[in-house]
Amino acid sequence: DAGVTQSPTHLIKTRGQQVTLRCSPISGHKSVSWYQQVLGQGPQFIFQYYEKEERGRGNFPDRFSARQFPNYSSELNVNALLLGDSALYLCASSVTPSNTGELFFGEGSRLTVL
Amino acid sequence: GENVEQHPSTLSVQEGDSAVIKCTYSDSASNYFPWYKQELGKRPQLIIDIRSNVGEKKDQRIAVTLNKTAKHFSLHITETQPEDSAVYFCAASHNDMRFGAGTRLTVKP
């Protein structure tokens, strides 16, 4: 069974541009969470979606947005990119909406903003 | 929201020794406490977890303890091996999961 898949794996953008990252959860998982991991730090919570509805939002500016599709895949969108947005963006899926069970992470999308 | 602090940030031990990593959390409503291992360039993977109604859990060389009153929990690895070298993250979850900053464990042969 396929794990969580993310695309693209690597991308380079310039300041002010916009980026869309994509995630496909494990089959049967209806919850998708997005995390930002800056080098040397722990994953920082951005969003959680369950059954296409936003269930949680971390302390990130409105430049960050996300959505979940009927097939439970998800997109993370970041507008007006800043240098500080350079990070590994991790998507994680889970069975429960309450995040009190294992999160299964994808390999991540490494974003570099120049 | 939840705030998770993790110590130490780096830990170096000799093969065969024990390693202990400690975390504190702020939200008393948190009820699920997982530990993830992230090897270089890889995704985080769950190694053990504990729920708020349990004080201790073991899985072979790995154990986790939870003190709800003090709001802290710890990871214990015994008989460490070089393949245990990685970054370890604790997390606490109520409605969403928040992670600590990580501990880089190095096990020297």
Side-chain angles (χ1 to χ4, degrees):
Chain A
D1 195 13
V4 177
T5 57
Q6 292 186 242
S7 63
T9 56
H10 295 81
L11 67 166
I12 300 174
K13 294 286 187 177
T14 57
R15 281 178 299 175
Q17 285 189 313
Q18 171 265 338
V19 68
T20 298
L21 308 178
R22 297 175 176 82
C23 171
S24 293
I26 291 172
S27 177
H29 287 193
K30 298 180 180 180
S31 174
V32 170
S33 297
W34 287 95
Y35 288 83
Q36 180 196 66
Q37 188 175 25
V38 173
L39 194 63
Q41 296 184 19
Q44 297 296 309
F45 173 71
I46 309 175
F47 286 109
Q48 188 214 354
Y49 278 78
Y50 181 79
E51 289 277 18
K52 296 171 288 182
E53 292 195 0
E54 182 183 303
R55 292 291 296 255
R57 174 186 286 254
N59 189 26
F60 280 80
D62 292 344
R63 299 185 294 108
F64 288 75
S65 62
R67 55 180 175 166
Q68 186 176 34
F69 299 99
N71 66 353
Y72 306 113
S73 67
S74 178
E75 287 182 351
L76 176 70
N77 188 74
V78 186
N79 291 324
L81 286 167
L82 303 174
L83 296 180
D85 295 331
S86 296
L88 179 67
Y89 288 84
L90 292 165
C91 171
S93 74
S94 62
V95 174
T96 66
S98 61
N99 281 325
T100 54
E102 183 174 1
L103 291 183
F104 294 84
F105 285 91
E107 296 283 0
S109 293
R110 184 163 297 282
L111 170 65
T112 301
V113 182
L114 302 177
Chain B
E2 175 66 273
N3 182 45
V4 179
E5 295 192 356
Q6 183 172 348
H7 302 279
S9 57
T10 60
L11 180 60
S12 182
V13 299
Q14 287 294 137
E15 182 177 1
D17 287 350
S18 295
V20 180
I21 303 170
K22 298 182 179 182
C23 288
T24 60
Y25 62 98
S26 60
D27 186 355
S28 57
S30 289
N31 55 7
Y32 176 65
F33 306 91
W35 288 86
Y36 283 80
K37 176 183 180 181
Q38 188 175 28
E39 298 179 4
L40 190 62
K42 300 277 185 72
R43 70 187 80 189
Q45 292 192 295
L46 181 73
I47 55 171
I48 194 167
D49 56 12
I50 191 168
R51 299 187 186 275
S52 58
N53 58 347
V54 176
E56 184 176 359
K57 182 177 179 181
K58 290 183 179 179
D59 182 4
Q60 299 182 343
R61 298 185 297 109
I62 294 174
V64 58
T65 59
L66 171 64
N67 183 327
K68 282 208 70 180
T69 302
K71 289 191 279 189
H72 67 70
F73 55 114
S74 301
L75 177 71
H76 304 252
I77 306 175
T78 59
E79 301 173 19
T80 54
Q81 301 168 2
E83 52 264 39
D84 293 331
S85 296
V87 179
Y88 291 81
F89 295 100
C90 63
S93 182
H94 174 212
N95 291 317
D96 51 69
M97 196 172 297
R98 306 296 176 112
F99 287 79
T103 296
R104 181 173 299 280
L105 173 65
T106 302
V107 180
K108 295 178 286 186

